Amino acid sequence: GVELTAQLGQENGVELMSHVSAIARKLHALPIQTSKVHTLTDELRILHKQLPLVWQQHPEWRSRITRILKSCEALAASLPSHPPHVGIHRDFYSDQILVDRNRFWLVDFDLYCQGHPALDIGNFIAHITEQSLREKQNLTAMVDRETALKKSFINLCLNSSLSKQISKTELEQAIDAYAVLTLALHIYISHRIPERNGFNPAILDLC
């Protein structure tokens, strides 16, 4: 198969999002036991650990990154304190899905843990946004893919047992929040990968 990333920008990119949402829901419904848990607190801890590494080389960004971190904390605090926990991939984005005609393979489960199902979808959406910027120099070039993924996933959840644990509004808010937190982490990711350094100011502006 080939990485889904290479197909996101093609004509069938929107259509592929229904498959992605189905893959996520199938994973989240599996009764695989793990003692690892990832919460919003863990997500914020990663940001507080990694983003200061960026301002060490770009001290002119320190105040902006500090404001972003405070905003991320406020965003996390706005979400329900007792979200549903399911088995999540935790690094769910298009590089992790291989497409072989009509078969899809999800790979790389080393971060598998218990967590909010919205994390996987928010993470995937943020990676689409970053790819749009990097490949098309347009942050909204594939926003139709992002919208289709979010809508499809929410519809699947509302028709599952998960609907008893979280409302549509809460799920929408959580997906949006995790997308923002992932985009904030991309400030560090773009800093760490030399060929992506040039996109860091735009990601910083977006966050």
Side-chain angles (χ1 to χ4, degrees):
V2 296
E3 291 178 354
L4 182 66
T5 303
Q7 300 189 19
L8 277 181
Q10 296 179 8
E11 291 184 2
N12 66 334
V14 172
E15 178 186 341
L16 288 170
M17 294 302 97
S18 62
H19 295 286
V20 173
S21 62
I23 290 168
R25 271 305 301 148
K26 186 174 183 179
L27 172 65
H28 297 164
L30 291 176
I32 300 174
Q33 298 299 315
T34 174
S35 60
K36 293 191 294 183
V37 178
H38 187 84
T39 66
L40 271 171
T41 300
D42 296 314
E43 199 79 352
L44 292 172
R45 176 180 50 78
I46 292 171
L47 288 173
H48 277 283
K49 177 182 178 181
Q50 305 293 15
L51 293 192
L53 300 177
V54 179
W55 77 51
Q56 288 179 9
Q57 293 191 22
H58 295 278
E60 70 276 14
W61 292 347
R62 179 166 186 161
S63 61
R64 297 180 67 193
I65 292 176
T66 299
R67 289 199 301 273
I68 288 171
L69 285 171
K70 289 181 178 179
S71 294
C72 287
E73 290 174 356
L75 182 61
S78 71
L79 298 178
S81 57
H82 298 288
H85 272 186
V86 298
I88 62 173
H89 190 279
R90 232 209 88 197
D91 194 21
F92 189 68
Y93 73 108
S94 53
D95 275 5
Q96 311 288 33
I97 298 176
L98 304 180
V99 183
D100 180 13
R101 294 185 291 275
N102 294 323
R103 185 178 291 275
F104 295 77
W105 302 89
L106 179 60
V107 301
D108 195 6
F109 282 87
D110 61 300
L111 296 181
Y112 180 84
C113 62
Q114 290 285 313
H116 200 309
L119 186 152
D120 280 343
I121 303 304
N123 189 76
F124 203 106
I125 288 173
H127 275 80
I128 294 176
T129 303
E130 189 276 335
Q131 184 181 343
S132 297
L133 170 65
R134 184 163 34 87
E135 294 184 355
K136 301 179 182 295
Q137 291 73 56
N138 181 352
L139 287 164
T140 62
M142 293 192 285
V143 70
D144 53 350
R145 277 79 168 160
E146 299 173 20
T147 302
L149 174 57
K150 180 179 174 181
K151 181 179 179 179
S152 177
F153 181 75
I154 289 174
N155 286 339
L156 288 175
C157 289
L158 293 179
N159 289 301
S160 74
S161 59
L162 193 63
S163 63
K164 299 177 181 179
Q165 302 178 56
I166 188 170
S167 69
K168 178 181 179 182
T169 298
E170 289 174 336
L171 187 55
E172 288 176 336
Q173 292 174 341
I175 290 172
D176 291 342
Y178 276 110
V180 171
L181 297 177
T182 301
L183 282 170
L185 185 60
H186 268 287
I187 297 172
Y188 165 73
I189 294 172
S190 294
H191 165 76
R192 180 174 56 84
I193 302 174
E195 56 267 30
R196 297 189 186 182
N197 287 174
F199 301 103
N200 229 354
I203 295 175
L204 191 64
D205 288 342
L206 175 63
C207 292

PDB file of all heavy atoms in Angstrom, residues 160-180:
ATOM      1  N   SER A 160     -23.461   5.056  18.178  1.00  0.00           N
ATOM      2  CA  SER A 160     -22.771   4.004  18.926  1.00  0.00           C
ATOM      3  C   SER A 160     -23.027   4.194  20.410  1.00  0.00           C
ATOM      4  O   SER A 160     -23.665   5.165  20.835  1.00  0.00           O
ATOM      5  CB  SER A 160     -21.267   4.053  18.647  1.00  0.00           C
ATOM      6  OG  SER A 160     -20.674   5.164  19.311  1.00  0.00           O
ATOM      7  N   SER A 161     -22.510   3.285  21.203  1.00  0.00           N
ATOM      8  CA  SER A 161     -22.691   3.376  22.653  1.00  0.00           C
ATOM      9  C   SER A 161     -21.996   4.601  23.242  1.00  0.00           C
ATOM     10  O   SER A 161     -22.322   5.033  24.352  1.00  0.00           O
ATOM     11  CB  SER A 161     -22.145   2.111  23.322  1.00  0.00           C
ATOM     12  OG  SER A 161     -20.757   1.952  23.014  1.00  0.00           O
ATOM     13  N   LEU A 162     -21.057   5.184  22.502  1.00  0.00           N
ATOM     14  CA  LEU A 162     -20.342   6.362  22.984  1.00  0.00           C
ATOM     15  C   LEU A 162     -21.286   7.543  23.179  1.00  0.00           C
ATOM     16  O   LEU A 162     -21.005   8.447  23.967  1.00  0.00           O
ATOM     17  CB  LEU A 162     -19.232   6.739  21.991  1.00  0.00           C
ATOM     18  CG  LEU A 162     -18.179   7.750  22.470  1.00  0.00           C
ATOM     19  CD1 LEU A 162     -17.399   7.182  23.644  1.00  0.00           C
ATOM     20  CD2 LEU A 162     -17.222   8.087  21.331  1.00  0.00           C
ATOM     21  N   SER A 163     -22.416   7.546  22.468  1.00  0.00           N
ATOM     22  CA  SER A 163     -23.371   8.649  22.567  1.00  0.00           C
ATOM     23  C   SER A 163     -23.948   8.784  23.974  1.00  0.00           C
ATOM     24  O   SER A 163     -24.460   9.843  24.343  1.00  0.00           O
ATOM     25  CB  SER A 163     -24.498   8.469  21.552  1.00  0.00           C
ATOM     26  OG  SER A 163     -25.235   7.288  21.831  1.00  0.00           O
ATOM     27  N   LYS A 164     -23.862   7.715  24.768  1.00  0.00           N
ATOM     28  CA  LYS A 164     -24.362   7.766  26.136  1.00  0.00           C
ATOM     29  C   LYS A 164     -23.389   8.463  27.080  1.00  0.00           C
ATOM     30  O   LYS A 164     -23.748   8.826  28.196  1.00  0.00           O
ATOM     31  CB  LYS A 164     -24.638   6.347  26.646  1.00  0.00           C
ATOM     32  CG  LYS A 164     -25.690   5.596  25.834  1.00  0.00           C
ATOM     33  CD  LYS A 164     -25.854   4.181  26.351  1.00  0.00           C
ATOM     34  CE  LYS A 164     -26.888   3.415  25.523  1.00  0.00           C
ATOM     35  NZ  LYS A 164     -27.040   2.007  25.992  1.00  0.00           N
ATOM     36  N   GLN A 165     -22.137   8.621  26.617  1.00  0.00           N
ATOM     37  CA  GLN A 165     -21.105   9.189  27.476  1.00  0.00           C
ATOM     38  C   GLN A 165     -20.741  10.627  27.138  1.00  0.00           C
ATOM     39  O   GLN A 165     -20.168  11.340  27.964  1.00  0.00           O
ATOM     40  CB  GLN A 165     -19.837   8.337  27.382  1.00  0.00           C
ATOM     41  CG  GLN A 165     -20.038   6.878  27.752  1.00  0.00           C
ATOM     42  CD  GLN A 165     -18.743   6.098  27.597  1.00  0.00           C
ATOM     43  OE1 GLN A 165     -17.718   6.444  28.175  1.00  0.00           O
ATOM     44  NE2 GLN A 165     -18.781   5.035  26.796  1.00  0.00           N
ATOM     45  N   ILE A 166     -21.056  11.065  25.917  1.00  0.00           N
ATOM     46  CA  ILE A 166     -20.668  12.408  25.510  1.00  0.00           C
ATOM     47  C   ILE A 166     -21.666  12.920  24.485  1.00  0.00           C
ATOM     48  O   ILE A 166     -22.132  12.166  23.630  1.00  0.00           O
ATOM     49  CB  ILE A 166     -19.234  12.412  24.924  1.00  0.00           C
ATOM     50  CG1 ILE A 166     -18.742  13.844  24.673  1.00  0.00           C
ATOM     51  CG2 ILE A 166     -19.123  11.554  23.685  1.00  0.00           C
ATOM     52  CD1 ILE A 166     -17.256  13.921  24.331  1.00  0.00           C
ATOM     53  N   SER A 167     -22.013  14.205  24.594  1.00  0.00           N
ATOM     54  CA  SER A 167     -22.968  14.799  23.665  1.00  0.00           C
ATOM     55  C   SER A 167     -22.273  15.226  22.376  1.00  0.00           C
ATOM     56  O   SER A 167     -21.042  15.296  22.306  1.00  0.00           O
ATOM     57  CB  SER A 167     -23.632  16.020  24.300  1.00  0.00           C
ATOM     58  OG  SER A 167     -22.691  17.083  24.434  1.00  0.00           O
ATOM     59  N   LYS A 168     -23.066  15.511  21.356  1.00  0.00           N
ATOM     60  CA  LYS A 168     -22.518  15.971  20.085  1.00  0.00           C
ATOM     61  C   LYS A 168     -21.719  17.248  20.274  1.00  0.00           C
ATOM     62  O   LYS A 168     -20.616  17.387  19.742  1.00  0.00           O
ATOM     63  CB  LYS A 168     -23.646  16.199  19.076  1.00  0.00           C
ATOM     64  CG  LYS A 168     -23.163  16.730  17.730  1.00  0.00           C
ATOM     65  CD  LYS A 168     -24.320  16.959  16.774  1.00  0.00           C
ATOM     66  CE  LYS A 168     -23.828  17.521  15.442  1.00  0.00           C
ATOM     67  NZ  LYS A 168     -24.946  17.794  14.517  1.00  0.00           N
ATOM     68  N   THR A 169     -22.257  18.187  21.041  1.00  0.00           N
ATOM     69  CA  THR A 169     -21.567  19.469  21.264  1.00  0.00           C
ATOM     70  C   THR A 169     -20.241  19.258  21.981  1.00  0.00           C
ATOM     71  O   THR A 169     -19.220  19.856  21.605  1.00  0.00           O
ATOM     72  CB  THR A 169     -22.457  20.412  22.087  1.00  0.00           C
ATOM     73  OG1 THR A 169     -23.666  20.686  21.361  1.00  0.00           O
ATOM     74  CG2 THR A 169     -21.735  21.732  22.354  1.00  0.00           C
ATOM     75  N   GLU A 170     -20.248  18.416  23.009  1.00  0.00           N
ATOM     76  CA  GLU A 170     -19.016  18.157  23.756  1.00  0.00           C
ATOM     77  C   GLU A 170     -17.971  17.488  22.866  1.00  0.00           C
ATOM     78  O   GLU A 170     -16.780  17.799  22.960  1.00  0.00           O
ATOM     79  CB  GLU A 170     -19.303  17.276  24.966  1.00  0.00           C
ATOM     80  CG  GLU A 170     -20.083  17.979  26.066  1.00  0.00           C
ATOM     81  CD  GLU A 170     -20.486  17.030  27.182  1.00  0.00           C
ATOM     82  OE1 GLU A 170     -20.581  15.806  26.935  1.00  0.00           O
ATOM     83  OE2 GLU A 170     -20.699  17.504  28.318  1.00  0.00           O
ATOM     84  N   LEU A 171     -18.410  16.583  21.997  1.00  0.00           N
ATOM     85  CA  LEU A 171     -17.473  15.900  21.108  1.00  0.00           C
ATOM     86  C   LEU A 171     -16.893  16.873  20.095  1.00  0.00           C
ATOM     87  O   LEU A 171     -15.687  16.851  19.826  1.00  0.00           O
ATOM     88  CB  LEU A 171     -18.182  14.743  20.401  1.00  0.00           C
ATOM     89  CG  LEU A 171     -17.313  13.804  19.556  1.00  0.00           C
ATOM     90  CD1 LEU A 171     -16.178  13.224  20.385  1.00  0.00           C
ATOM     91  CD2 LEU A 171     -18.172  12.683  18.968  1.00  0.00           C
ATOM     92  N   GLU A 172     -17.720  17.739  19.538  1.00  0.00           N
ATOM     93  CA  GLU A 172     -17.239  18.753  18.600  1.00  0.00           C
ATOM     94  C   GLU A 172     -16.201  19.651  19.262  1.00  0.00           C
ATOM     95  O   GLU A 172     -15.142  19.944  18.675  1.00  0.00           O
ATOM     96  CB  GLU A 172     -18.406  19.600  18.094  1.00  0.00           C
ATOM     97  CG  GLU A 172     -19.334  18.888  17.140  1.00  0.00           C
ATOM     98  CD  GLU A 172     -20.523  19.750  16.739  1.00  0.00           C
ATOM     99  OE1 GLU A 172     -20.870  20.679  17.513  1.00  0.00           O
ATOM    100  OE2 GLU A 172     -21.086  19.513  15.663  1.00  0.00           O
ATOM    101  N   GLN A 173     -16.504  20.115  20.471  1.00  0.00           N
ATOM    102  CA  GLN A 173     -15.584  21.005  21.194  1.00  0.00           C
ATOM    103  C   GLN A 173     -14.265  20.305  21.493  1.00  0.00           C
ATOM    104  O   GLN A 173     -13.187  20.905  21.387  1.00  0.00           O
ATOM    105  CB  GLN A 173     -16.242  21.500  22.477  1.00  0.00           C
ATOM    106  CG  GLN A 173     -17.415  22.435  22.249  1.00  0.00           C
ATOM    107  CD  GLN A 173     -18.140  22.785  23.536  1.00  0.00           C
ATOM    108  OE1 GLN A 173     -18.025  22.084  24.561  1.00  0.00           O
ATOM    109  NE2 GLN A 173     -18.908  23.863  23.510  1.00  0.00           N
ATOM    110  N   ALA A 174     -14.344  19.034  21.870  1.00  0.00           N
ATOM    111  CA  ALA A 174     -13.132  18.286  22.200  1.00  0.00           C
ATOM    112  C   ALA A 174     -12.263  18.075  20.967  1.00  0.00           C
ATOM    113  O   ALA A 174     -11.032  18.193  21.024  1.00  0.00           O
ATOM    114  CB  ALA A 174     -13.501  16.947  22.835  1.00  0.00           C
ATOM    115  N   ILE A 175     -12.876  17.751  19.834  1.00  0.00           N
ATOM    116  CA  ILE A 175     -12.110  17.575  18.587  1.00  0.00           C
ATOM    117  C   ILE A 175     -11.400  18.870  18.218  1.00  0.00           C
ATOM    118  O   ILE A 175     -10.206  18.877  17.887  1.00  0.00           O
ATOM    119  CB  ILE A 175     -13.039  17.112  17.441  1.00  0.00           C
ATOM    120  CG1 ILE A 175     -13.514  15.678  17.681  1.00  0.00           C
ATOM    121  CG2 ILE A 175     -12.317  17.210  16.094  1.00  0.00           C
ATOM    122  CD1 ILE A 175     -14.583  15.215  16.701  1.00  0.00           C
ATOM    123  N   ASP A 176     -12.126  19.983  18.286  1.00  0.00           N
ATOM    124  CA  ASP A 176     -11.524  21.282  17.958  1.00  0.00           C
ATOM    125  C   ASP A 176     -10.374  21.604  18.908  1.00  0.00           C
ATOM    126  O   ASP A 176      -9.333  22.126  18.489  1.00  0.00           O
ATOM    127  CB  ASP A 176     -12.577  22.385  18.029  1.00  0.00           C
ATOM    128  CG  ASP A 176     -13.623  22.282  16.924  1.00  0.00           C
ATOM    129  OD1 ASP A 176     -13.352  21.579  15.915  1.00  0.00           O
ATOM    130  OD2 ASP A 176     -14.696  22.886  17.069  1.00  0.00           O
ATOM    131  N   ALA A 177     -10.565  21.307  20.189  1.00  0.00           N
ATOM    132  CA  ALA A 177      -9.529  21.606  21.179  1.00  0.00           C
ATOM    133  C   ALA A 177      -8.271  20.783  20.926  1.00  0.00           C
ATOM    134  O   ALA A 177      -7.155  21.318  20.942  1.00  0.00           O
ATOM    135  CB  ALA A 177     -10.065  21.337  22.586  1.00  0.00           C
ATOM    136  N   TYR A 178      -8.437  19.486  20.681  1.00  0.00           N
ATOM    137  CA  TYR A 178      -7.267  18.644  20.436  1.00  0.00           C
ATOM    138  C   TYR A 178      -6.565  19.026  19.127  1.00  0.00           C
ATOM    139  O   TYR A 178      -5.345  18.881  19.006  1.00  0.00           O
ATOM    140  CB  TYR A 178      -7.657  17.172  20.434  1.00  0.00           C
ATOM    141  CG  TYR A 178      -7.709  16.575  21.817  1.00  0.00           C
ATOM    142  CD1 TYR A 178      -8.926  16.217  22.410  1.00  0.00           C
ATOM    143  CD2 TYR A 178      -6.542  16.377  22.562  1.00  0.00           C
ATOM    144  CE1 TYR A 178      -8.968  15.674  23.681  1.00  0.00           C
ATOM    145  CE2 TYR A 178      -6.577  15.850  23.834  1.00  0.00           C
ATOM    146  CZ  TYR A 178      -7.788  15.495  24.396  1.00  0.00           C
ATOM    147  OH  TYR A 178      -7.824  14.964  25.668  1.00  0.00           O
ATOM    148  N   ALA A 179      -7.315  19.526  18.147  1.00  0.00           N
ATOM    149  CA  ALA A 179      -6.685  20.007  16.918  1.00  0.00           C
ATOM    150  C   ALA A 179      -5.792  21.203  17.210  1.00  0.00           C
ATOM    151  O   ALA A 179      -4.667  21.303  16.699  1.00  0.00           O
ATOM    152  CB  ALA A 179      -7.751  20.371  15.890  1.00  0.00           C
ATOM    153  N   VAL A 180      -6.269  22.109  18.053  1.00  0.00           N
ATOM    154  CA  VAL A 180      -5.471  23.280  18.424  1.00  0.00           C
ATOM    155  C   VAL A 180      -4.218  22.868  19.188  1.00  0.00           C
ATOM    156  O   VAL A 180      -3.113  23.366  18.932  1.00  0.00           O
ATOM    157  CB  VAL A 180      -6.309  24.262  19.268  1.00  0.00           C
ATOM    158  CG1 VAL A 180      -5.424  25.370  19.843  1.00  0.00           C
ATOM    159  CG2 VAL A 180      -7.421  24.874  18.426  1.00  0.00           C
TER     160      VAL A 180
END
